[in-house]
């Protein structure tokens, strides 16, 4: 039996196989011009498909990389012993080319109207493993065009034993995540009943592919199908279609979560819900700190809900007054995340990994060491919203089947509805630090009746605090709990990627006005904290966009003239700081004096009227 296996191996090894650990392949001649252009990453049955465009002039011909996906449950894989080489090994089947998956990829890519979708030709392939792992790569056997390859992994028993010993010595509660639960010690000997899933994450496959005459080197980590989570988030902008027939309808608030409902204008009564992107904090309570071999970092795993049958009814109930005919969820296509810089030093938020059925997802919170992860977990459980206020998502969703040629692009913050008190920053250290950095003011949070949360970046309620300040003060922030400016550098880091700005004003007669702006963004110091936004939103009580005069302007103060006027707006006419142009239509940081109209006072121009303000607030949606 063992002999037979060895002979078969020898025959197949004709073609490919490499035992080198960590060797990079570069089989393509350097003269080859790279003509493949990356198009998208798809997930089919949990396997990732990387799709490239071959650059044909008559419309896209798409080439798919070999799948390199582990297809079977690893629990079924038992160690074998090769009596000739005296080695203990696992034999893992790896999916390389699969006609069914290609057909599914073709279906998902229909909106690109490709002329053809096919697997690229693989020329050379090699495999390597992280040397810190207790598992070594023995061979990778594959005949081109066969659907499945075999990966052989040698188990280095000594290394494995010392690894286990080290873990036991450390008394960390890691064992149960890393070591299979049915791992037994028999007379000091270990018996692995199956391959630990995470070790496969150390194995990398490299290959050269040829498509339409040009050669390319690719490198891929093996995908684990039955772990079933695939990174979301790669696409080429050029191929991203636009769905113009969608209209934002309203926010729907679910328990612990909120989503946006859109309306299909071409089908009466058809509603589409954006993917939920809600985290399930109760799943964290039973989680322990895990270890990522390939990154050599500890992490917490957090479960997310993208769409859920149970929420469908809740959504339907909320849309009841609109008599919906049908309610569908959009399909998550890409997700980019950014974490406010004040948080990112302590831990990283890993990429969003979606499940094969796109109903749930996972996120890894990577920390420097086990203790930090444990502290992070208790902080998160105590006050989950603290973290998510600082994580921004830019999500692209594809609209349901019938509208596949179209998509909507959404920039959104984490859509969790934070429970509990509004201003509860203290339990999570990074958040507390953000507060300290913005000079001990209550940079308080506010929830609107529609369930959206905002962070106040400027507020004028009493007039106790002077806003006639210099550049340094406007940069770092100033004020007390009621009247404050949180600072340009904070506003810059909070608005990265574009957020929704909400302006709230109270007039002398008590009337309240508000306006909202999408894609509000403030650049960094090198741009002079240039302010811009995409558009004024329909959610508002004022219909004239007076802020437009200030769009694209750099910030100016008395001691720093960045405005468009021949003299200095701030120094000669206003004294406050703002994104002055020639000089202003609105002046939220002007002198606090009700019923005084003039450039230097706190005013908002509205058509031909100039409104003197009694109260003023600027907020960013979180
Ligand atoms: C192959 O590449 C050439 C040159 O870029 C291009 O003109 C041609 O259309 C491509 N053919 C296919 C089938 O992609
Ligand atoms: C594969 O790699 C080997 C060694 O690096 C090289 O000699 C050979 O030409 C390559 N074959 C192809 C088809 O690229
Ligand atoms: C994962 O493996 C289990 C057990 O073999 C199987 O029941 C399940 O369907 C698999 N899941 C996927 C997504 O393939
Ligand atoms: C909402 O969150 C609370 C507290 O974390 C939890 O007890 C409850 O089950 C959650 N509800 C849903 C629908 O997830
Ligand atoms: C949240 O996690 C808990 C515990 O893991 C689980 O029982 C529950 O079904 C999850 N909720 C959702 C909506 O996925
Ligand atoms: C974990 O990291 C923190 C901060 O880098 C450090 O203070 C602490 O000593 C570390 N703990 C361990 C157990 O290494
Ligand atoms: C700005 O004002 C603060 C507080 O009055 C002062 O300490 C600082 O020196 C000033 N900076 C400059 C550059 O004038
Ligand atoms: C307050 O003043 C504004 C602008 O002058 C006006 O439009 C609004 O109707 C007034 N509200 C009340 C309650 O008088």
């Amino acid at each position: 039996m063992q002999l037979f296996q060895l002979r078969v191996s020898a025959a197949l090894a004709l073609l490919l196989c490499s035992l080198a650990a960590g060797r990079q392949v570069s089989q393509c001649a350097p003269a080859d011009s790279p003509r493949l252009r990356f198009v998208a990453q798809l997930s089919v049955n949990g396997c990732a498909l990387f799709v490239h465009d071959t650059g044909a002039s008559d419309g896209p011909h798409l080439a798919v990389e070999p799948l390199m996906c582990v297809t079977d449950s690893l629990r079924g894989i038992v160690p074998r012993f090769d009596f000739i080489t005296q080695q203990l090994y696992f034999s893992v089947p790896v999916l390389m080319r699969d006609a069914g998956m290609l057909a599914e990829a073709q279906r998902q890519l229909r909106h690109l109207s490709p002329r053809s979708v096919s697997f690229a030709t693989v020329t050379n392939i090699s495999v390597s493993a992280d040397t810190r792992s207790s598992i070594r790569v023995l061979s990778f056997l594959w005949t081109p065009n066969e659907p499945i390859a075999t990966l052989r992994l040698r188990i280095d028993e000594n290394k494995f034993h010392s690894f286990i010993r080290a873990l036991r010595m450390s008394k960390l509660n890691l064992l149960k995540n890393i070591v299979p639960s049915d791992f037994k010690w028999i007379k000091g000997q270990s018996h692995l009943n199956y391959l630990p899933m995470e070790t496969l994450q150390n194995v990398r496959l490299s290959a050269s592919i040829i498509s339409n005459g040009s050669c390319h080197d690719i490198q891929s980590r093996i995908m684990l199908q039955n772990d079933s989570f695939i990174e979301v988030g790669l696409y080429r902008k050029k191929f991203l279609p636009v769905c113009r027939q969608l209209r934002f309808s309203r926010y729907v608030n679910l328990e612990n979560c909120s989503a946006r409902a859109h309306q299909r204008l071409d089908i009466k009564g058809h509603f589409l819900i954006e993917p939920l992107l809600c985290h399930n904090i109760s799943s964290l309570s039973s989680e322990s700190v895990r270890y990522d071999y390939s990154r050599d970092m500890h992490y917490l795993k957090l479960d997310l809900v993208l769409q859920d049958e149970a929420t469908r009814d809740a959504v339907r109930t909320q849309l009841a007054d609109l008599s919906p005919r049908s309610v569908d969820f959009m399909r998550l296509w890409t997700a980019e995340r950014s974490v406010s810089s004040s948080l990112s030093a302590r831990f990283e938020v890993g990429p969003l990994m979606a499940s094969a059925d796109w109903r749930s997802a996972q996120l890894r919170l990577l920390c420097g060491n086990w203790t930090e992860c444990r502290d992070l977990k208790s902080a998160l459980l105590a006050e989950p919203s603290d973290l998510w206020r600082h994580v921004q998502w830019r999500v692209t969703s594809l609209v349901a089947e019938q509208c596949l040629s179209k998509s909507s692009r959404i920039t959104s913050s984490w859509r969790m509805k934070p429970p509990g008190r509004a201003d509860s920053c203290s339990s999570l250290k990074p958040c507390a630090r953000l507060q300290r950095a913005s000079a001990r003011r209550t940079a308080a949070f506010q929830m609107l009746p529609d369930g959206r949360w905002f962070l106040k970046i400027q507020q004028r309620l009493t007039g106790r605090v002077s806003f006639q300040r210099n550049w340094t003060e406007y940069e770092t922030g100033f004020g007390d709990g009621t009247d404050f400016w949180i600072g340009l550098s904070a506003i810059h880091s909070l608005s990265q990627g574009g957020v929704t700005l909400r302006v709230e004003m109270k007039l002398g007669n008590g009337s309240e006005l508000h306006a909202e702006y999408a894609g509000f963004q403030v650049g960094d110091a090198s741009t002079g904290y240039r302010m811009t936004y995409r558009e004024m939103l329909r959610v508002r009580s004022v219909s004239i966009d007076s802020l437009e005069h200030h769009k694209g302007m750099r910030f100016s103060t008395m001691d720093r003239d960045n405005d468009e006027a021949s003299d200095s707006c701030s120094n000669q006419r206003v004294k406050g700081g703002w994104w002055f142009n020639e000089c202003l239509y609105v002046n939220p940081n002007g002198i606090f004096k009700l019923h005084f109209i003039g450039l230097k006072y706190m005013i908002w121009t509205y058509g031909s009227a100039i409104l003197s303000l009694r109260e003023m607030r600027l907020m960013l949606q979180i």
Side-chain angles (χ1 to χ4, degrees), residues 280-286 303-305 308 310-311 360:
N280 181 358
I281 203 75
S282 41
S283 72
L284 187 66
S285 53
S286 56
D303 289 338
L304 315 172
V305 184
D308 178 354
T311 55
S360 58

Side-chain angles (χ1 to χ4, degrees), residues 210-257:
I210 291 184
S211 189
N212 191 14
S214 71
C215 177
H216 304 268
D217 294 326
I218 58 171
Q219 191 164 53
S220 169
R221 182 176 292 193
I222 288 185
M223 289 291 171
L224 300 171
Q225 185 207 17
N226 209 347
D227 209 11
S228 310
F229 286 89
I230 293 295
E231 180 175 345
V232 184
L234 299 171
Y235 67 97
R236 266 178 59 82
K237 281 212 166 58
K238 176 172 173 283
F239 288 100
L240 205 63
V242 179
C243 193
R244 294 184 200 286
Q245 290 163 304
L246 280 188
R247 191 176 64 190
F248 171 74
S249 175
R250 66 171 63 168
Y251 285 88
V252 285
N253 293 315
L254 310 163
E255 196 183 342
N256 299 347
C257 196

